[in-house]
Amino acid sequence: MAGDGATGVTVRATYKQDGHPVADQVLRLVLNGTGEGGRTIGPVQLEPSNEGQGFYTSGPVLAPGKWTIVVTSPEPNAGKAETQVDARVAQTAPPPDASTDRRDGGDTRWRWWVAAAAILLGTLIALALVARHRAKSLADHP
């Protein structure tokens, strides 16, 4: 059992005998907590998580600060676990800078357009020079 890095708790339910993950959903895992200044949380029923077999999560239920968390399960697989959690405000990624030019390593399609335009321009110049040379040659040799 541990904090999820923000204001929730993640629990991995295992069997005491051999430590393998609980394969079937435990009927009920219940979280209770006591925080700094006498704050309390619970009972909160934990939900199965998509993280893998035997994982359960609380979602964002804790206020930032230090918490003592107790998770219990009923019979037939009665159990109790306790841990300390330091809940923190969830971090979010900063928004993308709208002024950033995508040509600085992001989208490189513009390079293909520039290269194609340069090749086309070079071809047109070459054709114009060849046509001018031919016209001059024909004028010099009637």
Side-chain angles (χ1 to χ4, degrees), residues 88-99:
R88 299 182 184 119
V89 175
Q91 300 294 311
T92 58
D97 184 3
S99 66

Side-chain angles (χ1 to χ4, degrees), residues 26-27 53 70 92 109 124 128 140:
V26 173
L27 297 176
Q53 197 172 44
V70 177
T92 58
R109 288 178 289 184
L124 290 174
D140 289 342

